[in-house]
Amino acid sequence: MLPYWLLFSLCAAGALESRRRVNRAYQGGPLLMLAALFVALMIGLRFEVGGDWLNYIEIYDEIRHNKLADVLFYQDPGYTLLNWVAQQIGAGIWFVNLSCAVLFTWGLVKFARQQPNPWLVLVVAVPYFVIVVGMGYTRQAVAIAILLAGLATIHKHSIFRFGLYVVLAALFHKSAIVILPLVGLSVVQKRGPAALLILLLGIVLYYALLQSSVDRLISNYEVAAYESEGAGVRIAMNVVPAFVFLLFSKRFGLSPAEEKLWRMFSYAALGSLALLFVLESSTAVDRVALYLIPLQLFVLSRLAYAFPVKGGANGQLALLVIAYSAAVQFVWLNYAKHAQFWIPYKAYLLTEDAVA
């Protein structure tokens, strides 16, 4: 467990050091890049870590016998293309994981640097988004991180450009298109043409990427009624910041468009809680709810700035967020049913079996 706690401690120390800053242009400094490097290497060079490790090994081995033309139409083409490249250059699964880890870290840090305290974003992200999702659900983790990068720029660029981020994310996990309705609804009243484009893009992506997988997804999630251990707890992690934002949205100092966007995320979080009691499969809701993780990162990292004290950010709230995140990591590492697949942490070059 020590490597996980070292990563968390680094981010917590950075958050504590910078918690008094009120300058929204602050981007974390050079130490943030060191933390980002740590994150990328931990995720990318892991060995036999994560519940889906063997599944990804099977994909890697299967790609060995495919031509490039076939790879581009195989499941998630962005991910399978990385596997094909690794095969062509004689690299192992570490190349795929490291490439995905770089994309994951890029998206996370890009989003973090748009927040008042980027370190607090990393503190909130480490226990679940980095450790569990980043090291467990490689394809979906990259898709979410790419969407984070898009959300970081949506206030500066057009909604059309965000659509390109969604397309890129969908190449790594087709389910990324579920984010389109949230963004589309956030612009529907005043920007009809943009909302129409989002709708059309969603339809195109559905038929191009997702339609062929619908039957398989239904079979896996609904007919088989798969259950995700702890799905209720993970969805509740989205629900809490959703309530906070809906109650105190005016304190976050957002533009009307940004406020509406995060309201849609909040409504979706509450909706996912309702679906948990309606659908037979908690796994289906659990996996889709992963795309609401940005809400956690956004709201919790800004709490200390939404409720400032004289002289800067609210240090007590910053400490509360750090303590909450530490508790999430402690409970998951020590009591989660599947934590055994993450413990102990092993890495290439440091593990004899991996080197062999």
Side-chain angles (χ1 to χ4, degrees), residues 54-293:
L54 293 180
N55 292 336
Y56 288 119
I57 293 296
E58 290 180 3
I59 293 174
Y60 176 82
D61 291 336
E62 187 174 344
I63 294 300
R64 186 192 310 272
H65 308 292
N66 287 299
K67 298 179 180 179
L68 177 59
D70 298 326
V71 167
L72 296 178
F73 295 95
Y74 180 93
Q75 293 186 6
D76 303 300
Y79 180 76
T80 51
L81 179 60
L82 284 177
N83 280 265
W84 184 83
V85 171
Q87 296 280 2
Q88 300 307 304
I89 66 176
I93 190 68
W94 65 265
F95 175 86
V96 180
N97 289 338
L98 187 58
S99 299
C100 288
V102 170
L103 284 172
F104 175 91
T105 307
W106 163 74
L108 174 59
V109 172
K110 187 176 180 66
F111 180 83
R113 294 178 72 176
Q114 294 301 313
Q115 312 312 319
N117 189 337
W119 286 101
L120 273 176
V121 177
L122 295 187
V123 166
V124 177
V126 165
Y128 186 64
F129 186 47
V130 172
I131 295 177
V132 182
V133 180
M135 299 187 189
Y137 316 141
T138 304
R139 292 171 294 176
Q140 200 162 9
V142 174
I144 297 170
I146 292 172
L147 293 174
L148 278 173
L151 289 171
T153 62
I154 197 170
H155 64 288
K156 295 180 180 179
H157 303 290
S158 69
I159 199 69
F160 307 100
R161 184 165 178 173
F162 180 77
L164 297 178
Y165 282 96
V166 176
V167 172
L168 180 59
L171 293 178
F172 282 87
H173 206 281
K174 299 171 184 177
S175 61
I177 67 172
V178 301
I179 206 73
L180 279 173
L182 296 182
V183 178
L185 289 172
S186 71
V187 300
V188 68
Q189 289 184 355
K190 295 184 178 181
R191 299 172 67 182
L196 179 60
L197 178 67
I198 289 293
L199 175 61
L200 293 176
L201 180 60
I203 294 174
V204 171
L205 287 177
Y206 172 81
Y207 282 103
L209 297 173
L210 196 58
Q211 184 186 32
S212 62
S213 303
V214 167
D215 291 340
R216 178 175 55 84
L217 290 173
I218 292 176
S219 176
N220 286 346
Y221 290 150
E222 296 298 336
V223 177
Y226 286 170
E227 294 296 321
S228 277
E229 186 75 18
V233 174
R234 290 188 291 274
I235 289 174
M237 289 170 62
N238 291 328
V239 169
V240 171
F243 272 121
V244 171
F245 185 79
L246 290 174
L247 290 173
F248 304 105
S249 59
K250 299 302 180 183
R251 285 184 163 270
F252 285 79
L254 305 175
S255 68
E258 289 177 298
E259 183 178 334
K260 188 172 183 180
L261 174 66
W262 293 108
R263 278 186 175 275
M264 295 310 306
F265 267 84
S266 299
Y267 292 145
L270 299 182
S272 66
L273 180 62
L275 287 175
L276 193 62
F277 296 97
V278 175
L279 299 181
E280 293 184 27
S281 170
S282 61
T283 295
V285 182
D286 192 23
R287 285 302 180 99
V288 172
L290 289 176
Y291 291 103
L292 302 179
I293 286 177

